Amino acid sequence: MANQHKNRDPWKFFLLTFAYSWVIWIPSVLDGIGIKLPFNVAGYSTVVVIIGAFAPLMAALTLVGQEGGWRGIKTFFGQALDFHIKPVYLVLALALPLLIHLIAHYLALAVGLDVAKTLFPTDTSLAPIVLAIPYFILMLVLGGGQEEFGWRGYAQEPLQEKIGVIPASLVIGLIWGIWHLPLWFMAGDLHSAYSFLAFVMMTSSISIIYAWLYNSSGKKLIVVIFFHAMSNTAAPLLPFLHGIEGKPESAYWIYAAVNVLFGIIFAYFLVKGSKPAQDETLTI
């Protein structure tokens, strides 16, 4: 297992991830910056943004397949979907995003920034918490959870073995954030309403929490898949956005700052958790 990770090249994975997504996103970006194209770009964008979201998974599978063929891919999925997990880590994966968004939501209100009560539809008889359940399932398979097969499932371990867990987490978080950049140039995409810098601050800092969950749970990828899906579910449930088209989403800075704070806390946990192993090594 360790040898398998040492043979992996995270930088090849990053390049493939960008290639698989950014190439098909180019027409949407060109349209967003005012270059007219001879087809319905809005419909095209709806499809390719979803396809592009699978780029980290596809890049991981490409490289795993090159390294170990179909058997390697089967082993990769078997390890990634291993549910032999201490329940506390699944609870944390579900609770931490709710806590982060709860703090960001009410802190934004406290400083006088506009945020919606919920971004889930309000014209139905179902409460937002009920709508959040099928939305979470959707986020697991289409809305972010699937990305973790790549970011943490393929890149995290070999990179942290080379440069350390916190530097590796920051690198992955930075690249993960930059990977989203084309979305800021696509017509009608909500990302352009908030700061890209704040977004990268968020991805870089929350990546440390991902690393803590992944490593502390015994390298259980399903934990971070749940964490990613719940983070994307908590966003409309306890929003830090107002969702009004054409109006800047200033409260995103609050959300980014809360993630930075949590990132610092979990960086401390990572450092503290690594000390016993280091001390033990020194005494041998």
Side-chain angles (χ1 to χ4, degrees), residues 186-269:
M186 295 183 188
D189 195 287
L190 182 61
H191 285 79
S192 61
Y194 49 84
S195 166
F196 177 69
L197 175 60
F199 179 78
V200 172
M201 286 171 56
M202 182 277 293
T203 58
S204 299
S205 52
I206 203 173
S207 186
I208 295 174
I209 307 177
Y210 278 95
W212 182 85
L213 284 167
Y214 177 71
N215 286 285
S216 298
S217 65
K219 313 292 175 62
K220 302 296 186 180
L221 189 65
I222 197 66
V223 172
V224 293
I225 291 174
F226 271 51
F227 181 74
H228 198 142
M230 181 53 77
S231 294
N232 288 356
T233 302
L237 183 63
L238 293 163
F240 47 83
L241 305 174
H242 49 64
I244 301 172
E245 188 175 354
K247 183 178 179 181
E249 297 281 7
S250 302
Y252 197 96
W253 284 102
I254 300 291
Y255 176 62
V258 172
N259 276 281
V260 169
L261 175 60
F262 272 79
I264 293 170
I265 292 170
F266 280 88
Y268 169 77
F269 290 159

Side-chain angles (χ1 to χ4, degrees), residues 133-152:
I133 296 171
Y135 191 80
F136 171 75
I137 296 170
L138 183 65
M139 293 299 102
L140 279 174
V141 296
L142 290 177
Q146 80 285 349
E147 292 178 26
E148 293 309 318
F149 287 96
W151 304 126
R152 258 54 65 166

Side-chain angles (χ1 to χ4, degrees), residues 67-132:
E67 295 157 7
W70 286 109
R71 181 174 293 181
I73 291 174
K74 183 179 178 180
T75 301
F76 176 75
F77 275 121
Q79 294 168 346
L81 301 176
D82 180 5
F83 277 87
H84 293 89
I85 307 163
K86 291 182 179 179
V88 64
Y89 292 108
L90 285 179
V91 171
L92 286 170
L94 298 175
L96 279 170
L98 293 173
L99 177 60
I100 291 169
H101 285 77
L102 186 74
I103 293 171
H105 177 81
Y106 284 103
L107 189 56
L109 290 174
V111 299
L113 295 174
D114 289 334
V115 292
K117 290 183 178 179
T118 179
L119 293 177
F120 282 119
T122 56
D123 56 352
T124 71
S125 59
L126 297 174
I129 191 66
V130 176
L131 293 173

